[in-house]
Amino acid sequence: MIKKFKLYILLAAVACSTISCLDKMPEDSIPFDDAIKTVDDVNLAVVGIYDAFKNSALYSGNLTLLPDLQADFVYGINGNTNTYGDIWRWKDILATNTSIEAVYAGLYSVINRCNFLLDRVDAVRKNTTDDNDLDQIDQCCGEAYFARALAYSELVKCFCKAYESDAEAANELGVILTRHYQGNEEMKRASLKDSYQFILDDLDRAAELLALDKDYDPATDGALFNNAIYFNEYTVYALRARVALYMKNWEDAIKYSSKVIDSGYYLLSSCTQNYTSTASYYKYMWTNDNATEIIFKVGFTIDSYGGSLGTIFFNYDFSTVRPDYVPAEWVINLYDNNDLRVSTFFLTYQTGYSHGLSWPLLIKYFGNESFVNENILHVCMPKVLRLSEQYLIRAEAYVSQSAPDYGRAGKDITALRTARYATYGGSTALSASNAMKVIKEERVKELYMEGFRLHDLKRWHDGFERKPQAQSLENGSKLKVEADDPLFVWPIPQHELDAPGSQVQPNESNK
């Protein structure tokens, strides 16, 4: 239990690496039995877990970009560098794709770090008598359980089919589940049902260990939740709501998103109220990575940061812009005239290509101003969990449950639009005929290029179609993908299938 919400993190930085789930102990690392002997060691191990999320294959790169590039959100532009070209073309995605391999390895690297800590922590606890130190150990374990759940939640989203029901999921392939860093665990995929249950069990443990004391008072103990770079009780609820949505467990999706929304610790960032003389609260969230609606972000500093999310949308060289990808015209046209997200997300530039295309480019990830001032371009702190997503989760759950509540869902969409529009009077009228259309479109507008599109289409059983637009690449611009195409589920990396003694089963996209 956390006493008065003491903060025991980020005392040092530990370098991260991308490794296969089957490869654990680097040759130059501290031997397993000699590591994590003190409370300080436990804390440093947790710092290493946070640091692993800086990996550019994860939220500051591939894990965020690829699911949206692969779908219908952007178009490759003539003359581009072909970065992620095989992903965007769809049909060229293979089990040997290095970008997908890096995501798989990066997530299992996080899991391995969590297991390393959790396997060793009991020995430290047995030798600890100080109550504050014991509190710190519990908090660190809670953070490790949450990190493991977060990593596994991303693995099942990317490498597994959509969850339809408990009965169906029991017969679908999940992911390799590892509870220990050292052991003889079978390297074999569990069922999808068991994989999700593993995530839920970890979240239950995390919720218990990260729970606030009953006498916690934010007025005196500090409200340390929004804009957080650490895990806490409410990051657990936010992820639990997201997982429930993907499991089609509408009751839990409502329950846990409501815990976050109704907590009072988070506030939607306004597009009409200014934080500075030049930026609204909402725009400041993207230009400076600071906002009251951020539930968890990956913390970067000038000296320690991950990938550059905005590079492929600008490739700015302090002179010209040569984007690899430009926003799809249908996405831009989806926004209402009153919607101020448009001016935060898009700005028209003339590109530096010979064809001179002028087009609205994605400025959402142009870069944190503090980094830009140091000539570090296109680097932003990934906002892994935000309050707006919780409103969207709850709205979708309200209209998807057996007895739809269109009134409450409409209130959630109204709350979001009120924060985003120049003016938004009245309420959002939802009904059986329009509710999911409105919610799907709102997810596009609010979560654009944040890594949700491919997984949303998969769980909705929707296909998509691309039609050529100005200066779009010929190969890939004309594409029709039917619902439930095998490539909505990424192939298991070939090296996992080929490893000696491997029992890992492939996906349909591997074949």
Side-chain angles (χ1 to χ4, degrees), residues 334 341 392 395-396 399 406 409-414 416-417 421 424 427-446 460:
L334 200 61
R341 284 173 292 199
L392 291 166
E396 185 172 344
V399 304
Y406 298 112
K411 287 181 180 178
D412 281 343
I413 298 301
T414 297
L416 182 55
R417 289 181 172 176
Y421 281 38
Y424 193 74
S427 60
T428 307
L430 298 182
S431 65
S433 62
N434 76 338
M436 279 308 298
K437 180 177 184 294
V438 170
I439 291 167
K440 287 178 180 181
E441 289 181 351
E442 205 63 39
R443 284 185 70 88
V444 170
K445 292 183 288 185
E446 177 63 22
W460 291 329

Side-chain angles (χ1 to χ4, degrees), residues 4-231:
K4 301 297 184 184
F5 203 75
K6 292 185 174 66
L7 194 59
Y8 301 115
I9 62 167
L10 300 179
L11 299 181
V14 180
C16 65
S17 60
T18 54
I19 58 175
S20 165
C21 70
L22 300 177
D23 300 323
K24 295 179 178 177
M25 184 74 77
E27 292 182 0
D28 60 350
S29 65
I30 300 172
F32 181 77
D33 291 335
D34 294 335
I36 310 185
K37 290 187 174 183
T38 68
V39 176
D40 284 344
D41 292 339
V42 172
N43 191 61
L44 287 172
V46 173
V47 173
I49 292 169
Y50 282 102
D51 206 64
F53 282 111
K54 294 179 184 178
N55 185 338
S56 62
L58 300 182
Y59 293 111
S60 59
N62 301 8
L63 184 58
T64 296
L65 297 173
L66 300 191
D68 289 353
L69 287 176
Q70 188 181 334
D72 53 352
F73 272 1
V74 297
Y75 279 75
I77 185 172
N78 281 325
N80 78 1
T81 66
N82 197 38
T83 300
Y84 302 133
D86 44 5
I87 299 291
W88 182 71
R89 289 189 294 272
W90 184 279
K91 60 183 174 59
D92 293 339
I93 298 173
L94 302 174
T96 53
N97 185 281
T98 56
S99 298
I100 289 175
E101 286 178 346
V103 172
Y104 189 88
L107 291 170
Y108 272 110
S109 177
V110 171
I111 291 164
N112 288 336
R113 287 173 184 247
C114 295
N115 289 342
F116 189 88
L117 168 61
L118 294 170
D119 278 354
R120 299 297 298 157
V121 74
D122 282 346
V124 180
R125 188 180 281 111
K126 288 177 182 178
N127 295 321
T128 303
T129 57
D130 183 85
D131 285 344
N132 286 333
D133 286 345
L134 289 169
D135 286 345
Q136 183 175 352
I137 290 172
D138 282 348
Q139 179 173 327
C140 288
C141 288
E143 290 168 290
Y145 281 122
F146 179 84
R148 190 167 72 176
L150 180 59
Y152 271 123
S153 75
E154 298 294 355
L155 282 166
V156 296
K157 278 165 54 181
C158 295
F159 295 95
C160 301
K161 291 183 177 180
Y163 198 104
E164 300 301 331
S165 67
D166 290 349
E168 186 171 326
N171 296 309
E172 295 287 0
L173 288 171
V175 294
I176 299 170
L177 299 176
T178 61
R179 293 170 175 81
H180 302 287
Y181 186 82
Q182 282 193 332
N184 297 318
E185 294 174 295
E186 202 172 37
M187 290 297 103
K188 184 177 180 180
R189 296 175 72 178
S191 72
L192 184 58
K193 180 181 178 181
D194 287 346
S195 298
Y196 268 100
Q197 188 59 53
F198 189 97
I199 294 166
L200 296 178
D201 289 345
D202 270 0
L203 289 175
D204 284 341
R205 295 186 189 100
E208 180 181 356
L209 293 167
L210 296 175
L212 297 173
D213 266 355
K214 291 181 180 180
D215 64 347
Y216 172 77
D217 182 357
T220 57
D221 299 319
L224 301 170
F225 299 105
N226 64 59
N227 207 42
I229 57 174
Y230 51 84
F231 308 136

